[in-house]
Amino acid sequence: MTERTGREPSYAELIAKLSAFRTDHMQGRPSDRALAQAVGVSPTTIGDWLRADRFPQKIGLLLTLVRAVRGQAETAGHTGDPAAARLLDPQQWRSAYRDEARRRADGTSAAVQAEQGRAVLERMRPGQPLAAVTDPFALEVHRAVDVPAKALPVLPEYVPREHDCRLAEVVARAAAGASQIAVLVGGSSTGKTRACWQALTLLRGQEDPWRLWHPIDPARPDAALAELADIGPYTVIWLNEAQFYLEPDALGERVAAGLRTLLRDPRRSPVLVLATLWPNHWETLTARTDPDVHAQARELLDGHKIPVPDVFAGTDLAALTDMASRDPRLGEAVERVQDGQITQYLAGVPVLMDRYQEARGATRALIHAAMDARRLGAGPRIPLALLADAAPGYLTEREWDHTGDDWLQQALDYVTKHCNGIPGILTSVKTSTLRNQRIRPAAGYRPRAGQGPLYQLADYLDQHGRRHRADQIPPIDFWTAAAAHAHPTDLPALGDAAWNRGLYRDAAQLHKHATTHGNPHTAAILIEHLHTLHPADHRPAHHATHAALDDPDGVSKLLDSLRRAGADGQVTSLLARDPAAHAALDAPHAVSKLLYSLWRVEGEEQVAALLARDPATHAHLDSPAHVGLLLDSMRKAGADGQVTALAERAAAHAAVDDPAGVCWLLDSMRKAGAEEQVTALAERAAAHAPLDDPYPVGWLLDGLRKVGADGQVTALAERVAAHAPLDDPAHVGLLLDGLRKVGAEEQVTALAERAAAHAALGDDPADVASLLYGLRRAGADGQVTSLLARDPAAHVALDDPAGVALLLGALEAAGADGQVTTLLARDPAAHAHLNSPRAVAWLLRNLREAGADGQVTALLMRDPAAHVALNNDAADVAELLGGLQEAGADGQVITLLARDSAAHVHIKSPAHVGYLLERLREAGADGQATSLLERLPAAGYFAQYTTISDQVERFKFGREPDGSAAALWRWDDLE
């Protein structure tokens, strides 16, 4: 079987090919009788299906049949043929089955077929009726503490707060027919999931009944991708702990892109996405430091954040107290909680923390192994075998010698025990097997019978471990256990964590196992790392060439790594496996990268084969920048017809909610000579691009100007001037910059006048400062005067030292001496909060520059060095240390150093650590500088540690968990 087609086969074609394959290559095996036994239907039904006389009414039965044929084909050695592998790919059958069901449902000539199709589509529709969703715990709402009372509802009484009001507005818009997304962001056990559960009441009993879809099995991103295309209108998509869906490198972006497509699809509207995230995961997924990392997730989430506070306070706490008489659980929480952490108490956090703090010996070791597994990259379901093998390494030899033979059972009894109705520290979850893993294993791999029991760590203790064990590198037993027992999908992240901490050999072992399971991304990393250590050894490259081929981004990276390693024979072997025939075509960025990689290794035949499959038709249009990259690569390949087809699709349908991406796409269209499409896309973007984020709007204005779309520049500029929101003055200043850059002077003036007169200055001094700077950059001197006439210095709040510092600087730059005097007369030094070291430093510096010596003295008299929080970024503490040194506040410098800031700061960036190191050494705190430097490896910055400490050669082969330099090791030393 060597046939390649440029389109996806229909269901009828697949059935015909499957029947022919069984006859021509398998001698009629498995028989109809054997297939009937495997599927659970009669042999007559099997025959009818294979002759296309009947259409299977359940996709699961059809996939069981395909798997049975595939198993026989593997035994006979036929699945090495790429065409046979494609024929037996379950995802292809799922897609064809869905399309056939839709075709039948839309048919008018055969009423029976149409009814069959509609029935199949309804069964395939993911989720369950909302009326049947009655168990909050199945949706991962926390159970509440038990109290000695009878007949209580399963959940405590609920007190709506501000975030509930905002969420209710989103749900109401969905109920009215508009697809919506809400992302609740807060710490563990703050009530995010409970708030989503309460919001469902607004959709129950609607005239159009809603469904709820909670994709979790076998792994969350796999479950989401498997059914996302089948989501219909009036569906709630429940993404509790959304990082599990969105953070995985390749799959996460596909999930995010699919959700963006769903939210914009009018045929499937309305849908409602309810997601929850911890703050650190929100920052990871929405950071703009690298535009290619989490690009789809960032576009999905931006603008939809609903913060959930950690504590009850003010009127919320008063309302809770009023309800306490009706629910004894609330009464107990109000009575016992002093810091407002009501939801944490109800979720059993104090109980869990007490259990954790009281754990000793092997039990505590088991908990620490689970904490380390989660923070270093393992998924939520941790194999017991990993924990059991890792735990002894956390004990001293003496402790281990005194541990009884039944230690594991005793530890499990302790950590799984429910207390006060709350699940234990670890909770047993359903076992999974290799067939449920999302990475296809390499040829020749034989799975274990099963991974055994799996356990999930309580999420609050997960969060606690990330905070309090960040400076710990687990013992060697942990890494050995991870290599032996970790779920294959967790091996890449654990391997990366090991490498970043200098455990090069352990990392290579983990990456080797991940490569054995077919992960092309990890295969590329393995080659890069081992080529650096042993340039002449091509065995890692040979091992990597059996990686799965369906991920074009991963295959691209693998080809590039092989080429850089000089592994020409392995490149040839990989190309012989025909990656062009296997690559998924829906991600344009990945397909573009694969095209470029194939060119670089002179794989012209593969380039032609990949283009023959028509990626222009299959590419998703969610990311206009990625569509632009694919246009560029196809243009350079001379695929003019596909360039035109993709340009036309993109001009009509590409998302315009990503203005920066639209700029890239416009430029790619211009280079391709698609002038009509440039005009069409420019008109859509100018008319519909969102105006709430100033940076992308400015980029779009400039991008329209560069492609000569002058009319659209004017149209967008007029929209900005007339309709840009004024609730964020900082954004207004940046919009003025964007208008000025494209020469839209009239619109600059119009927006400046609106902003000066109506911008919501509120009480935030930073907002006033940002708007002042923006108006001055735009040359709007009259509007500066109008703004100052509103006397902002007399009304802004003084508690934010950073904001006051910015405003002081802006007023001085504007020559507003009267406003400076007004602001200083209000004594900001006495009112400023002293928590943030960076903010205090800025205020101190700007007061000095303003000549406000009395205020400087007053601020220093408040002893800020003793009060600032040290668990900030290293650069923040460095700013304060530098500011105190510049002010000659030697006593404050001594106070700050005495608090040992080097031991407490968060390490988020090696550059920031370098800044603090410099300041510490200037202050003569060499011991603290050394201490801070030694924290880098555990934080995942081992390479920077060796560079700064000039120990690159000493640690050429990495380090051991105890910090000693690793001895030379080779490929032969890996299992």
PDB file of all heavy atoms in Angstrom, residues 882-904:
ATOM      1  N   GLY A 882      19.973  49.191  46.297  1.00  0.00           N
ATOM      2  CA  GLY A 882      20.647  50.273  45.585  1.00  0.00           C
ATOM      3  C   GLY A 882      20.127  51.642  45.980  1.00  0.00           C
ATOM      4  O   GLY A 882      20.900  52.592  46.144  1.00  0.00           O
ATOM      5  N   GLY A 883      18.790  51.762  46.132  1.00  0.00           N
ATOM      6  CA  GLY A 883      18.216  53.041  46.516  1.00  0.00           C
ATOM      7  C   GLY A 883      18.671  53.494  47.892  1.00  0.00           C
ATOM      8  O   GLY A 883      18.947  54.683  48.114  1.00  0.00           O
ATOM      9  N   LEU A 884      18.772  52.571  48.828  1.00  0.00           N
ATOM     10  CA  LEU A 884      19.252  52.909  50.167  1.00  0.00           C
ATOM     11  C   LEU A 884      20.724  53.305  50.142  1.00  0.00           C
ATOM     12  O   LEU A 884      21.142  54.245  50.841  1.00  0.00           O
ATOM     13  CB  LEU A 884      19.043  51.711  51.108  1.00  0.00           C
ATOM     14  CG  LEU A 884      17.582  51.329  51.399  1.00  0.00           C
ATOM     15  CD1 LEU A 884      17.512  50.029  52.187  1.00  0.00           C
ATOM     16  CD2 LEU A 884      16.876  52.448  52.173  1.00  0.00           C
ATOM     17  N   GLN A 885      21.521  52.612  49.338  1.00  0.00           N
ATOM     18  CA  GLN A 885      22.937  52.959  49.221  1.00  0.00           C
ATOM     19  C   GLN A 885      23.101  54.356  48.636  1.00  0.00           C
ATOM     20  O   GLN A 885      23.904  55.175  49.124  1.00  0.00           O
ATOM     21  CB  GLN A 885      23.659  51.925  48.352  1.00  0.00           C
ATOM     22  CG  GLN A 885      23.810  50.557  49.014  1.00  0.00           C
ATOM     23  CD  GLN A 885      24.301  49.492  48.046  1.00  0.00           C
ATOM     24  OE1 GLN A 885      23.994  49.532  46.856  1.00  0.00           O
ATOM     25  NE2 GLN A 885      25.078  48.538  48.552  1.00  0.00           N
ATOM     26  N   GLU A 886      22.316  54.675  47.596  1.00  0.00           N
ATOM     27  CA  GLU A 886      22.406  55.993  46.961  1.00  0.00           C
ATOM     28  C   GLU A 886      21.967  57.098  47.921  1.00  0.00           C
ATOM     29  O   GLU A 886      22.477  58.232  47.847  1.00  0.00           O
ATOM     30  CB  GLU A 886      21.533  56.019  45.708  1.00  0.00           C
ATOM     31  CG  GLU A 886      22.055  55.111  44.583  1.00  0.00           C
ATOM     32  CD  GLU A 886      21.015  54.893  43.506  1.00  0.00           C
ATOM     33  OE1 GLU A 886      19.950  55.565  43.561  1.00  0.00           O
ATOM     34  OE2 GLU A 886      21.244  54.066  42.605  1.00  0.00           O
ATOM     35  N   ALA A 887      21.014  56.771  48.808  1.00  0.00           N
ATOM     36  CA  ALA A 887      20.526  57.777  49.763  1.00  0.00           C
ATOM     37  C   ALA A 887      21.443  57.908  50.972  1.00  0.00           C
ATOM     38  O   ALA A 887      21.184  58.739  51.851  1.00  0.00           O
ATOM     39  CB  ALA A 887      19.114  57.403  50.221  1.00  0.00           C
ATOM     40  N   GLY A 888      22.486  57.094  51.021  1.00  0.00           N
ATOM     41  CA  GLY A 888      23.395  57.135  52.165  1.00  0.00           C
ATOM     42  C   GLY A 888      22.769  56.611  53.440  1.00  0.00           C
ATOM     43  O   GLY A 888      23.215  56.950  54.542  1.00  0.00           O
ATOM     44  N   ALA A 889      21.741  55.774  53.302  1.00  0.00           N
ATOM     45  CA  ALA A 889      21.034  55.247  54.472  1.00  0.00           C
ATOM     46  C   ALA A 889      21.730  53.972  54.936  1.00  0.00           C
ATOM     47  O   ALA A 889      21.196  52.860  54.810  1.00  0.00           O
ATOM     48  CB  ALA A 889      19.576  54.992  54.123  1.00  0.00           C
ATOM     49  N   ASP A 890      22.923  54.129  55.505  1.00  0.00           N
ATOM     50  CA  ASP A 890      23.728  52.964  55.870  1.00  0.00           C
ATOM     51  C   ASP A 890      23.032  52.081  56.903  1.00  0.00           C
ATOM     52  O   ASP A 890      23.130  50.854  56.860  1.00  0.00           O
ATOM     53  CB  ASP A 890      25.089  53.423  56.406  1.00  0.00           C
ATOM     54  CG  ASP A 890      25.901  54.164  55.351  1.00  0.00           C
ATOM     55  OD1 ASP A 890      25.617  53.946  54.144  1.00  0.00           O
ATOM     56  OD2 ASP A 890      26.795  54.951  55.711  1.00  0.00           O
ATOM     57  N   GLY A 891      22.333  52.700  57.842  1.00  0.00           N
ATOM     58  CA  GLY A 891      21.640  51.917  58.855  1.00  0.00           C
ATOM     59  C   GLY A 891      20.564  51.031  58.241  1.00  0.00           C
ATOM     60  O   GLY A 891      20.388  49.868  58.641  1.00  0.00           O
ATOM     61  N   GLN A 892      19.861  51.573  57.263  1.00  0.00           N
ATOM     62  CA  GLN A 892      18.834  50.784  56.595  1.00  0.00           C
ATOM     63  C   GLN A 892      19.452  49.649  55.761  1.00  0.00           C
ATOM     64  O   GLN A 892      18.895  48.556  55.664  1.00  0.00           O
ATOM     65  CB  GLN A 892      17.985  51.688  55.699  1.00  0.00           C
ATOM     66  CG  GLN A 892      17.008  52.575  56.445  1.00  0.00           C
ATOM     67  CD  GLN A 892      15.830  51.787  56.978  1.00  0.00           C
ATOM     68  OE1 GLN A 892      14.995  51.308  56.237  1.00  0.00           O
ATOM     69  NE2 GLN A 892      15.788  51.638  58.303  1.00  0.00           N
ATOM     70  N   VAL A 893      20.593  49.933  55.156  1.00  0.00           N
ATOM     71  CA  VAL A 893      21.296  48.879  54.409  1.00  0.00           C
ATOM     72  C   VAL A 893      21.646  47.734  55.342  1.00  0.00           C
ATOM     73  O   VAL A 893      21.443  46.551  55.023  1.00  0.00           O
ATOM     74  CB  VAL A 893      22.560  49.441  53.726  1.00  0.00           C
ATOM     75  CG1 VAL A 893      23.431  48.308  53.171  1.00  0.00           C
ATOM     76  CG2 VAL A 893      22.191  50.421  52.627  1.00  0.00           C
ATOM     77  N   ILE A 894      22.171  48.075  56.525  1.00  0.00           N
ATOM     78  CA  ILE A 894      22.533  47.041  57.509  1.00  0.00           C
ATOM     79  C   ILE A 894      21.305  46.242  57.934  1.00  0.00           C
ATOM     80  O   ILE A 894      21.339  45.008  58.042  1.00  0.00           O
ATOM     81  CB  ILE A 894      23.206  47.693  58.730  1.00  0.00           C
ATOM     82  CG1 ILE A 894      24.576  48.279  58.321  1.00  0.00           C
ATOM     83  CG2 ILE A 894      23.373  46.688  59.853  1.00  0.00           C
ATOM     84  CD1 ILE A 894      25.222  49.119  59.398  1.00  0.00           C
ATOM     85  N   THR A 895      20.196  46.960  58.152  1.00  0.00           N
ATOM     86  CA  THR A 895      18.962  46.276  58.547  1.00  0.00           C
ATOM     87  C   THR A 895      18.502  45.292  57.472  1.00  0.00           C
ATOM     88  O   THR A 895      18.118  44.143  57.764  1.00  0.00           O
ATOM     89  CB  THR A 895      17.844  47.298  58.812  1.00  0.00           C
ATOM     90  OG1 THR A 895      18.224  48.141  59.889  1.00  0.00           O
ATOM     91  CG2 THR A 895      16.533  46.606  59.143  1.00  0.00           C
ATOM     92  N   LEU A 896      18.546  45.736  56.220  1.00  0.00           N
ATOM     93  CA  LEU A 896      18.096  44.889  55.127  1.00  0.00           C
ATOM     94  C   LEU A 896      18.987  43.657  54.990  1.00  0.00           C
ATOM     95  O   LEU A 896      18.502  42.537  54.815  1.00  0.00           O
ATOM     96  CB  LEU A 896      18.069  45.692  53.820  1.00  0.00           C
ATOM     97  CG  LEU A 896      17.489  44.971  52.590  1.00  0.00           C
ATOM     98  CD1 LEU A 896      16.038  44.580  52.846  1.00  0.00           C
ATOM     99  CD2 LEU A 896      17.576  45.874  51.353  1.00  0.00           C
ATOM    100  N   LEU A 897      20.299  43.875  55.095  1.00  0.00           N
ATOM    101  CA  LEU A 897      21.223  42.751  54.976  1.00  0.00           C
ATOM    102  C   LEU A 897      21.067  41.778  56.142  1.00  0.00           C
ATOM    103  O   LEU A 897      21.208  40.561  55.977  1.00  0.00           O
ATOM    104  CB  LEU A 897      22.666  43.248  54.887  1.00  0.00           C
ATOM    105  CG  LEU A 897      23.025  44.059  53.635  1.00  0.00           C
ATOM    106  CD1 LEU A 897      24.452  44.568  53.725  1.00  0.00           C
ATOM    107  CD2 LEU A 897      22.848  43.196  52.382  1.00  0.00           C
ATOM    108  N   ALA A 898      20.759  42.301  57.315  1.00  0.00           N
ATOM    109  CA  ALA A 898      20.603  41.436  58.487  1.00  0.00           C
ATOM    110  C   ALA A 898      19.419  40.496  58.347  1.00  0.00           C
ATOM    111  O   ALA A 898      19.377  39.433  58.978  1.00  0.00           O
ATOM    112  CB  ALA A 898      20.450  42.293  59.745  1.00  0.00           C
ATOM    113  N   ARG A 899      18.466  40.852  57.490  1.00  0.00           N
ATOM    114  CA  ARG A 899      17.305  39.984  57.270  1.00  0.00           C
ATOM    115  C   ARG A 899      17.590  38.886  56.251  1.00  0.00           C
ATOM    116  O   ARG A 899      16.722  38.065  55.947  1.00  0.00           O
ATOM    117  CB  ARG A 899      16.100  40.822  56.813  1.00  0.00           C
ATOM    118  CG  ARG A 899      15.610  41.816  57.857  1.00  0.00           C
ATOM    119  CD  ARG A 899      14.456  42.641  57.322  1.00  0.00           C
ATOM    120  NE  ARG A 899      13.299  41.797  57.012  1.00  0.00           N
ATOM    121  CZ  ARG A 899      12.303  42.178  56.219  1.00  0.00           C
ATOM    122  NH1 ARG A 899      12.320  43.383  55.650  1.00  0.00           N
ATOM    123  NH2 ARG A 899      11.290  41.365  55.982  1.00  0.00           N
ATOM    124  N   ASP A 900      18.810  38.872  55.722  1.00  0.00           N
ATOM    125  CA  ASP A 900      19.269  37.814  54.808  1.00  0.00           C
ATOM    126  C   ASP A 900      18.340  37.700  53.597  1.00  0.00           C
ATOM    127  O   ASP A 900      17.731  36.657  53.346  1.00  0.00           O
ATOM    128  CB  ASP A 900      19.355  36.479  55.540  1.00  0.00           C
ATOM    129  CG  ASP A 900      20.146  35.436  54.737  1.00  0.00           C
ATOM    130  OD1 ASP A 900      20.772  35.825  53.726  1.00  0.00           O
ATOM    131  OD2 ASP A 900      20.132  34.258  55.123  1.00  0.00           O
ATOM    132  N   SER A 901      18.259  38.788  52.858  1.00  0.00           N
ATOM    133  CA  SER A 901      17.376  38.803  51.688  1.00  0.00           C
ATOM    134  C   SER A 901      17.757  37.740  50.671  1.00  0.00           C
ATOM    135  O   SER A 901      16.901  37.197  49.960  1.00  0.00           O
ATOM    136  CB  SER A 901      17.406  40.188  51.028  1.00  0.00           C
ATOM    137  OG  SER A 901      18.730  40.529  50.652  1.00  0.00           O
ATOM    138  N   ALA A 902      19.045  37.390  50.594  1.00  0.00           N
ATOM    139  CA  ALA A 902      19.485  36.406  49.609  1.00  0.00           C
ATOM    140  C   ALA A 902      18.819  35.049  49.816  1.00  0.00           C
ATOM    141  O   ALA A 902      18.672  34.270  48.876  1.00  0.00           O
ATOM    142  CB  ALA A 902      21.004  36.256  49.670  1.00  0.00           C
ATOM    143  N   ALA A 903      18.420  34.767  51.036  1.00  0.00           N
ATOM    144  CA  ALA A 903      17.810  33.467  51.327  1.00  0.00           C
ATOM    145  C   ALA A 903      16.310  33.452  51.056  1.00  0.00           C
ATOM    146  O   ALA A 903      15.703  32.372  51.030  1.00  0.00           O
ATOM    147  CB  ALA A 903      18.060  33.096  52.790  1.00  0.00           C
ATOM    148  N   HIS A 904      15.708  34.619  50.843  1.00  0.00           N
ATOM    149  CA  HIS A 904      14.254  34.681  50.761  1.00  0.00           C
ATOM    150  C   HIS A 904      13.714  35.103  49.390  1.00  0.00           C
ATOM    151  O   HIS A 904      12.546  34.838  49.092  1.00  0.00           O
ATOM    152  CB  HIS A 904      13.708  35.652  51.810  1.00  0.00           C
ATOM    153  CG  HIS A 904      13.971  35.218  53.217  1.00  0.00           C
ATOM    154  ND1 HIS A 904      15.088  35.627  53.924  1.00  0.00           N
ATOM    155  CD2 HIS A 904      13.290  34.397  54.055  1.00  0.00           C
ATOM    156  CE1 HIS A 904      15.072  35.094  55.131  1.00  0.00           C
ATOM    157  NE2 HIS A 904      13.986  34.348  55.245  1.00  0.00           N
TER     158      HIS A 904
END
